[in-house]
Amino acid sequence: MPVSLPMSLPMSLPETDPTPPRPVIVLVEPQLAENIGMTARAMGNFGLADLRLVAPKGGWPKKGVREAASGATHVLDGVRVFATVAQAVADLTYVLATTARERGQMKRVFGPDAAMRDVTGRLARGERVGILFGRERVGLSNDEVSLADAIVTFPVDPRHASLNLAQSVLLVSYEWRRAADLARLPFGGGMRSPPAPREALLSLFESLEAALDAAGYYPPEKRGGMVRNMRDMLHRMAMTEQDVRTFRGALRALTRRPPEA
Amino acid sequence: MPVSLPMSLPMSLPETDPTPPRPVIVLVEPQLAENIGMTARAMGNFGLADLRLVAPKGGWPKKGVREAASGATHVLDGVRVFATVAQAVADLTYVLATTARERGQMKRVFGPDAAMRDVTGRLARGERVGILFGRERVGLSNDEVSLADAIVTFPVDPRHASLNLAQSVLLVSYEWRRAADLARLPFGGGMRSPPAPREALLSLFESLEAALDAAGYYPPEKRGGMVRNMRDMLHRMAMTEQDVRTFRGALRALTRRPPEA
């Protein structure tokens, strides 16, 4: 069965989201401009803006990072660089560490969905929250994980557990937007034309059946079942008023007598 | 309040997932090796494997695609290339088109979560499902969207709506894994040591308070409230048996008389 959808989503959204408090993203010693740019883009896609870098390898800013960020230059323009993780999280009251593997640390472990539900609650109560993401190849050190209150990990296929850095930021940003109740679709599946009244539909069925009668389509002993089958099929289209007019026009064209030569 | 987590997640997962039927990912005229490789990696992260390419720009295979795919070479090895979208979806029974913008088409519109719940149901009933992703810059044409049964779009910030190709494949793959009920975390937050019995905790509190009494820490008229405050604080640690032993050891070290010189 198709999932039912609200059909009355707004067709246009206001220019600016209401801006609830948002978590900070902290990349620890990121190396590739591509990954930092894609991280900024992913944050922008889901409404995050505060990006902090700890000792980016090769310095900052990096060549190529703006291209990879696509339109998210506001995120790059706001980047703050720190020498250590402790400095990057100094003003925060709650810190999550992302990691793909067990560290033997006695911390709570969340998936990105549960983590962001918890985080939106904390932010609403005035906490300042950050999420640590480790180096491309080796992630966070155990000492860096020790600076966090809890751990976030991802429900990956254990045979292919290595998520790209920007991909893991994307999942956290996506889940934050959902948890913050901002996850509206940019457009809906609303029909431009209202659903057809039964009367219009029945009248269309009768016109179609009359045309098929005239064309000798139905074997008389099977007509009843064939009519019902075709009505079932047409009902599944859930026709709008416009659909009925379109169908009638096509039927008229098919049954019109050819012009005299 | 922290979100409660199951504390008994298995610490190791079987080598192979059970493999339920899975949707096919179709990239239409992808250009960048990086994006195709990252798409394969994202699919592998969440257990998808069937990747089809329609007329990849610059031909196939592409230089650099294996590096971008990281470990997901099995996805690349299985890639099938088609000349047209119609050929790529010919054997499928249900097709979704991803698009960031309204097309004026009278189709149902899903977010990735609702779309994948619908898709797992269809797959379980024997349908063969594919999801179309358009070109990096211009997406799918309206004629290509017309080949689909319904539309998937993403709950992005409308001011920064442009998702990277591999990022949108990642979100669909992640939501498929969740909808298919395979989204287990690779490790849990289970404590290595059982929670401390109240008796051990109370005994620890009493030792601590006796040491503080001996050190002259409490003004007599405030002792009752100060003891309660510190017990509240220590209760929030939800100590394990091992935590109590650790705390006792540290307390003993602090109260030990210094060795005679």
Side-chain angles (χ1 to χ4, degrees):
Chain A
M1 293 294 289
V3 170
S4 72
L5 275 182
M7 281 299 175
S8 59
L9 286 173
M11 280 295 127
S12 66
L13 288 169
E15 264 308 285
T16 50
D17 279 339
T19 303
R22 295 175 285 185
V24 173
I25 300 295
V26 183
L27 305 187
V28 179
E29 294 190 18
Q31 178 163 25
L32 302 175
E34 171 90 352
N35 281 334
I36 302 173
M38 292 284 289
T39 290
R41 180 174 179 178
M43 290 172 63
N45 288 146
F46 293 106
L48 297 187
D50 191 347
L51 177 60
R52 302 181 182 184
L53 306 179
V54 175
K57 283 178 195 148
W60 183 257
K62 280 178 185 291
K63 194 167 173 307
V65 74
R66 297 211 157 248
E67 292 71 14
S70 191
T73 47
H74 64 296
V75 178
L76 293 180
D77 292 340
V79 159
R80 294 169 61 195
V81 177
F82 296 84
T84 66
V85 177
Q87 287 167 20
V89 302
D91 62 324
L92 306 177
T93 64
Y94 187 75
V95 176
L96 291 164
T98 54
T99 166
R101 52 182 211 281
E102 173 88 67
R103 302 301 185 106
Q105 298 202 355
M106 300 291 128
K107 292 184 189 301
R108 285 174 304 139
V109 174
F110 296 98
D113 47 349
M116 291 304 108
R117 286 194 297 272
D118 179 40
V119 160
T120 50
R122 292 176 183 276
L123 290 164
R125 293 191 299 276
E127 290 203 53
R128 295 179 299 282
V129 178
I131 305 141
L132 303 177
F133 294 82
R135 299 153 189 85
E136 281 98 338
R137 290 197 173 277
V138 298
L140 296 168
S141 72
N142 286 345
D143 283 342
E144 287 159 353
V145 173
S146 265
L147 294 169
D149 296 277
I151 286 173
V152 178
T153 192
F154 299 91
V156 290
D157 184 332
R159 293 164 296 176
H160 302 282
S162 164
L163 271 174
N164 166 266
L165 174 57
Q167 301 274 50
S168 50
V169 174
L170 179 85
L171 291 178
V172 164
S173 305
Y174 169 74
E175 290 291 5
W176 170 75
R177 192 168 185 82
R178 285 155 55 104
D181 205 21
L182 295 173
R184 285 179 295 171
L185 298 182
F187 57 91
M191 296 286 133
R192 297 284 170 69
S193 170
R198 298 285 98 173
E199 181 183 31
L201 210 59
L202 264 178
S203 160
L204 171 66
F205 291 168
E206 286 161 6
S207 300
L208 174 63
E209 289 149 14
L212 290 170
D213 277 329
Y217 171 74
Y218 298 113
E221 74 284 7
K222 295 189 176 169
R223 187 179 186 282
M226 288 172 78
V227 161
R228 280 190 299 278
N229 285 346
M230 193 169 289
R231 288 185 173 199
D232 284 349
M233 190 172 87
L234 296 171
H235 265 122
R236 287 202 300 271
M237 292 167 69
M239 277 188 265
T240 64
E241 291 182 356
Q242 179 57 52
D243 291 337
V244 169
R245 285 192 291 273
T246 300
F247 201 113
R248 276 202 174 282
L251 184 62
R252 261 199 309 276
L254 290 172
T255 55
R256 193 181 298 145
R257 275 193 310 173
E260 302 291 334
Chain B
M1 294 291 290
V3 170
S4 72
L5 275 181
M7 281 297 173
S8 60
L9 287 174
M11 280 295 125
S12 66
L13 288 168
E15 263 308 284
T16 51
D17 280 338
T19 304
R22 295 176 285 185
V24 172
I25 300 295
V26 183
L27 304 187
V28 179
E29 293 191 17
Q31 178 162 24
L32 301 174
E34 172 91 352
N35 282 334
I36 303 173
M38 291 284 290
T39 289
R41 180 173 178 179
M43 290 172 63
N45 287 148
F46 293 105
L48 297 187
D50 191 346
L51 177 59
R52 302 181 182 185
L53 305 179
V54 176
K57 283 176 196 150
W60 183 258
K62 280 178 185 292
K63 194 166 173 313
V65 74
R66 297 212 156 247
E67 292 70 14
S70 191
T73 47
H74 64 295
V75 176
L76 294 180
D77 292 340
V79 160
R80 292 169 62 194
V81 178
F82 296 84
T84 66
V85 177
Q87 286 167 21
V89 302
D91 62 323
L92 305 178
T93 64
Y94 187 75
V95 175
L96 290 165
T98 55
T99 167
R101 54 182 209 279
E102 172 88 68
R103 303 302 186 104
Q105 299 204 355
M106 301 291 128
K107 292 184 189 301
R108 283 175 305 140
V109 175
F110 296 98
D113 47 350
M116 291 304 108
R117 286 195 297 272
D118 179 40
V119 160
T120 51
R122 290 177 184 275
L123 290 164
R125 295 191 298 276
E127 289 203 53
R128 294 179 299 281
V129 178
I131 304 141
L132 302 177
F133 295 82
R135 299 153 190 84
E136 280 98 337
R137 290 197 174 277
V138 297
L140 296 168
S141 72
N142 285 346
D143 283 342
E144 287 159 353
V145 173
S146 265
L147 294 169
D149 295 277
I151 285 173
V152 178
T153 192
F154 299 91
V156 289
D157 184 331
R159 294 163 296 175
H160 302 283
S162 162
L163 271 173
N164 165 267
L165 174 57
Q167 301 275 50
S168 51
V169 173
L170 180 84
L171 291 178
V172 164
S173 306
Y174 170 74
E175 290 291 6
W176 170 76
R177 192 168 186 82
R178 285 155 55 104
D181 205 21
L182 295 173
R184 284 179 294 172
L185 297 182
F187 57 91
M191 295 286 135
R192 296 286 170 67
S193 170
R198 297 286 99 173
E199 181 183 32
L201 210 59
L202 264 177
S203 159
L204 172 66
F205 291 169
E206 286 161 6
S207 301
L208 174 63
E209 289 147 15
L212 290 169
D213 276 329
Y217 172 74
Y218 299 113
E221 74 283 8
K222 295 190 177 168
R223 187 180 188 281
M226 289 173 77
V227 160
R228 281 191 298 278
N229 286 346
M230 192 170 290
R231 286 185 175 199
D232 285 349
M233 188 173 88
L234 295 171
H235 265 122
R236 289 202 299 271
M237 293 167 67
M239 277 188 266
T240 63
E241 291 182 357
Q242 178 56 52
D243 292 336
V244 170
R245 286 191 292 272
T246 300
F247 201 114
R248 277 201 173 283
L251 184 63
R252 260 197 309 275
L254 290 172
T255 54
R256 195 181 294 145
R257 277 193 307 174
E260 302 291 332

